[in-house]
Amino acid sequence: MSFRTIVITRQSKISYKNRFLVVKKENEERYVHLSEIDTIVVDSISVSLTSYLLKELADNKINIIFCDEKHNPFGELSSYYSRHNSSKKIHRQITWKQKDKNELWTKIVQNKILNQALLVKRIMGNRNELLFGYIDEVRTGDKTNREGHAAKIYFNLLFGKEFVRNAGDSINGALNYGYAILLSTINKEVVSNGYLTQLGIHHKNEFNQFNLTCDLMEPFRTVIDQFVYYNQNRKLDIEYKLAIINILNNTYQYGGKKYTLKDIIKLYVSNTLEVLEKKKEYKEFIYDEE
């Protein structure tokens, strides 16, 4: 099973040779076998890549994320044909019943609010009854927007009442970077399972290429939130970003067993999509302890 995240931060050329990723920097040349690689982050606009390498990365379902001149993720490589029966899966995705999607979204929102409430309890040392109360108040499809109400209370408790989500401060910068890494990781799994990221369960923005991914990533946001909370006075430099990326290798509980976050995401995405496909029970990711 692949396990390495490769981050390239300096001017270099990366290419493919005999099942190896080849990274050339000045007089230095390094080789990494493709079977070891899960994700590549190209964190420099001075990196050149061969088309042969891109083709091999797509064939091997290796995620590659590209960053801009400000070192923020702006895009990724995704294969058209990550599964042999994608056409069949997409046809079924288009015909998912709204009732089933609403029921699943209800469970996802409850899962997300539970993780938020557990994180606040863990950090603050006391139980916030309002957050825990919202879990039982979620109606089918979250018609009363308990998710939005919970988010306002949650972020104010973590970062103060003056905090505004998506402002241009370093806390939001770190959150957005972490969420982008999550988004890309979940995109890979959605495509690998044969589905379109554009067709969501709840999110339906015509300008969003990742509606389904945005649905599925909600319970995992608290993993990033906690890390940023404990590092909120830290400058968002390359070391901080590498630490955020490394969260994917941390170990957490899922279904009574311990896995890396990357493996949990793989299992969660597959299970959650099977809730709609095969009427399986939704399996929560409860972010309670490492």
Side-chain angles (χ1 to χ4, degrees):
M1 182 178 291
S2 57
F3 63 94
R4 299 182 66 171
T5 298
I6 307 296
V7 182
I8 301 171
T9 60
R10 292 186 295 166
Q11 181 177 356
S12 56
K13 178 180 179 179
I14 57 177
S15 58
Y16 172 84
K17 184 178 181 180
N18 298 331
R19 297 288 298 162
F20 282 87
L21 169 75
V22 183
V23 183
K24 294 182 180 180
K25 300 177 183 178
E26 299 175 349
N27 297 323
E28 180 184 10
E29 193 167 284
R30 295 186 179 183
Y31 291 76
V32 183
H33 200 272
L34 294 189
S35 65
E36 299 180 5
I37 304 172
D38 178 82
T39 300
I40 299 171
V41 179
V42 180
D43 195 14
S44 171
I45 58 173
S46 299
V47 173
S48 61
L49 306 89
T50 65
S51 57
Y52 196 170
L53 172 66
L54 295 177
K55 184 262 183 188
E56 289 295 329
L57 295 178
D59 285 349
N60 287 275
K61 301 180 182 179
I62 295 172
N63 200 23
I64 180 165
I65 303 169
F66 298 96
C67 298
D68 60 21
E69 66 277 8
K70 296 181 180 178
H71 307 285
N72 294 316
F74 73 86
E76 63 187 66
L77 174 68
S78 180
S79 171
Y80 283 144
Y81 308 106
S82 288
R83 193 176 179 94
H84 68 282
N85 61 344
S86 291
S87 296
K88 179 180 179 181
K89 290 292 189 79
I90 292 169
H91 175 75
R92 293 215 299 250
Q93 183 180 6
I94 293 171
T95 60
W96 285 343
K97 295 180 180 179
Q98 189 60 49
K99 176 178 177 293
D100 294 336
K101 291 193 289 185
N102 286 342
E103 290 176 356
L104 177 56
W105 179 243
T106 302
K107 294 173 183 176
I108 291 174
V109 170
Q110 289 174 322
N111 190 172
K112 178 183 181 180
I113 298 174
L114 173 61
N115 285 342
Q116 291 174 331
L118 289 171
L119 178 56
V120 168
K121 181 181 177 182
R122 186 156 63 248
I123 290 175
M124 306 300 176
N126 61 298
R127 177 186 172 100
N128 186 284
E129 295 299 337
L130 191 54
L131 274 179
F132 277 102
Y134 279 152
I135 298 169
D136 293 329
E137 293 178 9
V138 179
R139 299 292 175 258
T140 302
D142 193 26
K143 295 177 182 178
T144 57
N145 193 26
R146 295 300 94 181
E147 181 196 16
H149 291 292
K152 179 175 177 56
I153 295 170
Y154 169 73
F155 280 116
N156 286 343
L157 287 170
L158 286 188
F159 302 115
K161 293 185 178 179
E162 302 302 317
F163 177 78
V164 178
R165 185 70 187 100
N166 287 323
D169 54 82
S170 59
I171 292 176
N172 274 291
L175 290 173
N176 291 339
Y177 189 85
Y179 294 159
I181 296 300
L182 275 182
L183 187 80
S184 181
T185 304
I186 296 174
N187 279 341
K188 174 187 173 183
E189 298 306 327
V190 170
V191 174
S192 293
N193 277 276
Y195 298 96
L196 293 175
T197 61
Q198 294 91 338
L199 300 180
I201 298 165
H202 172 76
H203 289 83
K204 300 177 182 177
N205 190 328
E206 64 179 298
F207 304 109
N208 183 2
Q209 297 294 311
F210 310 114
N211 286 309
L212 181 56
T213 313
C214 289
D215 292 328
L216 298 176
M217 72 181 287
E218 295 296 357
F220 294 93
R221 290 179 183 267
T222 45
V223 180
I224 302 298
D225 301 339
Q226 175 172 306
F227 190 83
V228 173
Y229 173 83
Y230 285 116
N231 293 274
Q232 58 186 290
N233 295 319
R234 188 173 173 180
K235 181 181 178 182
L236 190 58
D237 54 16
I238 185 60
E239 287 78 15
Y240 189 5
K241 290 180 178 180
L242 288 174
I244 291 174
I245 293 170
N246 194 53
I247 292 173
L248 293 172
N249 296 315
N250 290 349
T251 302
Y252 305 96
Q253 293 275 352
Y254 184 66
K257 297 181 180 179
K258 286 190 175 182
Y259 304 93
T260 64
L261 184 60
K262 282 189 293 190
D263 288 338
I264 290 173
I265 287 173
K266 183 182 183 73
L267 292 169
Y268 176 87
V269 170
S270 177
N271 168 261
T272 304
L273 293 173
E274 286 184 343
V275 171
L276 291 168
E277 290 289 333
K278 300 179 181 178
K279 307 303 179 185
K280 284 195 173 182
E281 289 295 318
Y282 174 73
K283 187 181 294 184
E284 292 180 309
F285 167 62
I286 301 178
Y287 182 49
D288 197 11
E289 59 181 26
E290 297 187 20

